[in-house]
Each structure stands twice: as structure tokens, then as C-alpha cells.
Amino acid sequence: MSTPDPALMVKIEAILYLKARPLKLGEIADYAHCDRDLVQSALEQLVADYGQRDGALEVVETSEGYGLQLRSGFEILVQTLIPIDLGVGALRTLAAIALRKGITQTELVDLRGSGAYQQVQALVEQGFVQKRRHKETRSYWLQVTDKFHRYFQTEKLPKPLAAYSKAPATPAPLESEFEQLPLDNRP
């Protein structure tokens, strides 16, 4: 097998950097306007090259695809340089959006209360949530961004068992769907 084209390797490196999320081989080939076999060879060389470097970045292959990421051990630096200033309410609102994998702002306000309006605005300003007009309602559609996944390192979280089965996963019930029980069991 011949050595991959260095220009293609640089192009793939730029694609991985700009997309800031793992990409499947086919996606990378489409973005690079190149044959999948050439992209595969270039990716293998990139992984090897980054593995030999003593740098902060690495190219890794995950179940979601190939990605350019910060090596482990730099989490403290990330939290120091990019601290988040979110209160408990905003974190709960962010969790509700993430767990639902997207939600209308109207549904979120029904779920979290009117304070969600300010919390959503703060989350949008910090880049954790994106907000767009919903096509079918007058509300906004809210969903988490790539920054959310990078910051909270969601790809490193254990996957629920449903993620490994072929059957579609049912969304986890939210706190409001649980029956409220008294804390003490006295009659």
C-alpha cells in the first residue's frame, strides 16, 4: 500500500477540526470529494501520526466515527480556560433539553416554569443550546449543540442498554412524570 497523499491528510485534518464531532468514513469522503479507500488510508496514517506526536490533540476512531479531540488529561485546563457560569436551574433546563433530544420552548416552559426563558437565553449565549423557529408552531425549537457534547464529554458516558439493542429506545421519563411520595413513610 502506498503512502497517503499529504495534501489529503491535511484536508481531512481540517475537516475533522471544523466539524468538531466524530464523522463516519463516508461523510469525510463526501466532504473531501475523494474515494473512500483513499480517505481510509489517509485516516489510518493521521491516527498513526497523531499517536506518535507529543501534543495535546489526537485523531481517534470511535463508534460514531473519526474525530479530532483533546487528549485525556487536559480536562482541568478546559474547565479553567472555559469555565461555565450556570446555576442549578439552568443546568436542569439544559438537562431537560438534552434528555428530550430537542424540545419546543413552550413545552420546556410548561415543564420547567417561566424561569426557563432566561435560562434558555443564557444557554444560547454560552453556546450550549441552539434556538430556531419551529416549523409547525410559533414556538422555538431548542436542542443542545456540539459544544455541549464536547464540554460535558457525553461520548465518554456509558451508553444505556437500549443503545445496544436494535429496538428503538423510549425516552426516559422526566421528573414531572414520577409520582411524588412523602419522604417519611409514617401513616
Side-chain angles (χ1 to χ4, degrees), residues 9-116:
M9 290 173 53
V10 169
K11 189 175 194 177
I12 292 171
E13 183 180 35
I15 290 167
L16 294 175
Y17 172 79
L18 291 170
K19 291 308 283 182
R21 65 175 173 81
L23 299 170
K24 298 285 186 193
L25 181 65
E27 291 176 289
I28 298 169
D30 288 345
Y31 288 126
H33 305 290
C34 193
D35 180 71
R36 288 173 63 105
D37 291 336
L38 291 174
V39 169
Q40 178 68 44
S41 176
L43 277 167
E44 289 170 1
Q45 187 62 48
L46 263 177
V47 169
D49 288 355
Y50 270 89
Q52 293 174 357
R53 294 180 191 176
D54 191 22
L57 300 176
E58 63 184 344
V59 175
V60 296
E61 182 180 11
T62 68
S63 60
E64 290 85 26
Y66 290 89
L68 179 65
Q69 68 182 27
L70 200 58
R71 286 188 194 274
S72 62
F74 288 94
E75 292 85 6
I76 298 297
L77 187 59
V78 170
Q79 292 172 3
T80 302
L81 295 175
I82 310 172
I84 60 169
D85 183 24
L86 297 175
V88 172
L91 285 172
R92 288 181 178 169
T93 296
L94 183 58
I97 296 167
L99 287 171
R100 292 281 179 115
K101 295 183 171 61
I103 187 171
T104 65
Q105 186 163 321
T106 303
E107 293 172 321
L108 182 66
V109 169
D110 288 345
L111 183 68
R112 297 278 308 132
S114 63

Side-chain angles (χ1 to χ4, degrees), residues 86 90 93-94 97 119-129:
L86 297 175
T93 296
L94 183 58
I97 296 167
Q119 295 161 353
V120 165
Q121 187 59 37
L123 294 168
V124 168
E125 288 171 4
Q126 292 192 19
F128 290 111
V129 171

